[in-house]
Amino acid sequence: MLGWPDRFGITLDIGHCRAVERASVPDCVRRAAPRLVNVQIDDMRIGVHEHLEFGTGEIDFPPVLAALVEAGYQGLVAVELPRHSHAAPDVARRSLDFLYQAATR
Protein backbone atom coordinates (compact mmCIF):
# COMPACT_ATOMS: atom_id res chain seq x y z
CA MET A 1 0.00 0.00 0.00
CA LEU A 2 1.27 3.42 -0.87
CA GLY A 3 1.66 5.14 2.47
CA TRP A 4 4.46 7.59 2.13
CA PRO A 5 4.72 10.46 1.58
CA ASP A 6 1.32 11.43 2.86
CA ARG A 7 0.73 13.80 -0.03
CA PHE A 8 0.93 11.03 -2.63
CA GLY A 9 -2.47 10.31 -4.10
CA ILE A 10 -4.15 8.13 -6.67
CA THR A 11 -5.64 8.98 -10.04
CA LEU A 12 -8.33 6.37 -10.59
CA ASP A 13 -9.21 5.50 -14.16
CA ILE A 14 -12.75 4.13 -14.08
CA GLY A 15 -12.56 2.54 -17.54
CA HIS A 16 -9.34 0.74 -16.69
CA CYS A 17 -10.97 -0.62 -13.53
CA ARG A 18 -13.46 -2.40 -15.77
CA ALA A 19 -10.90 -3.50 -18.35
CA VAL A 20 -8.24 -4.97 -16.06
CA GLU A 21 -9.38 -5.30 -12.45
CA ARG A 22 -11.07 -8.34 -10.95
CA ALA A 23 -12.96 -6.26 -8.39
CA SER A 24 -16.12 -4.42 -9.39
CA VAL A 25 -15.67 -0.80 -10.43
CA PRO A 26 -17.48 0.53 -7.30
CA ASP A 27 -15.19 -1.66 -5.16
CA CYS A 28 -12.16 -0.16 -6.94
CA VAL A 29 -13.47 3.29 -6.02
CA ARG A 30 -13.90 2.25 -2.38
CA ARG A 31 -10.40 0.75 -2.21
CA ALA A 32 -8.80 3.88 -3.70
CA ALA A 33 -10.96 6.32 -1.69
CA PRO A 34 -8.47 7.12 1.10
CA ARG A 35 -5.88 8.35 -1.43
CA LEU A 36 -8.17 9.47 -4.26
CA VAL A 37 -7.18 12.85 -5.74
CA ASN A 38 -8.29 12.59 -9.37
CA VAL A 39 -10.76 10.54 -11.41
CA GLN A 40 -10.73 9.80 -15.12
CA ILE A 41 -13.95 8.34 -16.45
CA ASP A 42 -15.05 6.61 -19.62
CA ASP A 43 -16.69 3.35 -20.59
CA MET A 44 -14.79 0.10 -21.36
CA ARG A 45 -15.25 -3.64 -21.65
CA ILE A 46 -13.52 -6.40 -19.70
CA GLY A 47 -10.13 -7.20 -21.18
CA VAL A 48 -10.25 -4.54 -23.90
CA HIS A 49 -8.28 -1.29 -23.64
CA GLU A 50 -10.49 0.94 -25.75
CA HIS A 51 -11.94 4.19 -24.46
CA LEU A 52 -15.64 4.11 -25.30
CA GLU A 53 -18.39 6.67 -25.17
CA PHE A 54 -20.69 6.23 -22.18
CA GLY A 55 -23.33 3.57 -22.70
CA THR A 56 -21.36 1.64 -25.32
CA GLY A 57 -19.24 -0.38 -22.87
CA GLU A 58 -20.07 -2.54 -19.86
CA ILE A 59 -19.88 -0.17 -16.90
CA ASP A 60 -22.98 0.39 -14.78
CA PHE A 61 -22.37 4.04 -13.87
CA PRO A 62 -24.97 4.82 -11.16
CA PRO A 63 -23.21 2.54 -8.60
CA VAL A 64 -19.81 3.98 -9.60
CA LEU A 65 -20.98 7.56 -9.09
CA ALA A 66 -22.67 6.56 -5.82
CA ALA A 67 -19.36 5.06 -4.61
CA LEU A 68 -17.61 8.35 -5.38
CA VAL A 69 -20.25 10.21 -3.37
CA GLU A 70 -20.00 7.70 -0.50
CA ALA A 71 -16.23 8.18 -0.50
CA GLY A 72 -16.72 11.91 -0.09
CA TYR A 73 -14.80 12.60 -3.30
CA GLN A 74 -15.27 16.20 -4.39
CA GLY A 75 -12.44 16.59 -6.89
CA LEU A 76 -12.24 16.64 -10.63
CA VAL A 77 -13.89 13.89 -12.69
CA ALA A 78 -12.36 14.18 -16.17
CA VAL A 79 -14.16 12.52 -19.06
CA GLU A 80 -11.80 10.66 -21.39
CA LEU A 81 -13.16 10.97 -24.89
CA PRO A 82 -12.97 8.09 -27.35
CA ARG A 83 -10.63 8.37 -30.29
CA HIS A 84 -13.07 10.36 -32.38
CA SER A 85 -11.72 13.72 -31.22
CA HIS A 86 -13.10 15.43 -34.30
CA ALA A 87 -16.53 15.03 -32.67
CA ALA A 88 -15.36 16.19 -29.22
CA PRO A 89 -17.98 18.93 -28.69
CA ASP A 90 -20.84 16.52 -29.43
CA VAL A 91 -19.30 13.67 -27.43
CA ALA A 92 -18.65 16.02 -24.49
CA ARG A 93 -22.27 17.20 -24.53
CA ARG A 94 -23.59 13.63 -24.64
CA SER A 95 -21.14 12.64 -21.90
CA LEU A 96 -22.34 15.36 -19.55
CA ASP A 97 -25.97 14.43 -20.24
CA PHE A 98 -25.21 10.75 -19.62
CA LEU A 99 -23.39 11.41 -16.34
CA TYR A 100 -26.13 13.74 -15.10
CA GLN A 101 -28.74 11.06 -15.83
CA ALA A 102 -26.62 8.37 -14.14
CA ALA A 103 -26.08 10.54 -11.06
CA THR A 104 -29.79 11.14 -10.60
CA ARG A 105 -30.88 7.48 -10.84
Side-chain angles (χ1 to χ4, degrees):
M1 174 82 184
L2 184 66
W4 181 86
D6 287 337
R7 295 191 317 194
F8 269 172
I10 294 173
T11 292
L12 186 65
D13 188 310
I14 299 299
H16 288 190
C17 290
R18 180 63 179 169
V20 301
E21 294 294 330
R22 291 181 184 199
S24 73
V25 180
D27 284 343
C28 289
V29 171
R30 290 181 194 99
R31 289 174 54 199
R35 295 258 184 221
L36 195 56
V37 297
N38 185 45
V39 174
Q40 296 173 332
I41 193 167
D42 60 344
D43 212 344
M44 281 198 193
R45 295 185 180 101
I46 290 176
V48 181
H49 181 241
E50 181 180 0
H51 301 268
L52 301 172
E53 193 169 339
F54 296 117
T56 62
E58 299 172 339
I59 298 175
D60 183 14
F61 284 94
V64 173
L65 298 175
L68 288 167
V69 170
E70 289 168 20
Y73 181 72
Q74 296 182 343
L76 180 67
V77 176
V79 174
E80 287 192 73
L81 299 179
R83 24 181 142 170
H84 308 296
S85 61
H86 63 279
D90 292 330
V91 173
R93 188 175 314 105
R94 288 192 302 267
S95 296
L96 288 173
D97 290 344
F98 181 93
L99 290 172
Y100 178 76
Q101 295 282 330
T104 57
R105 280 195 242 159

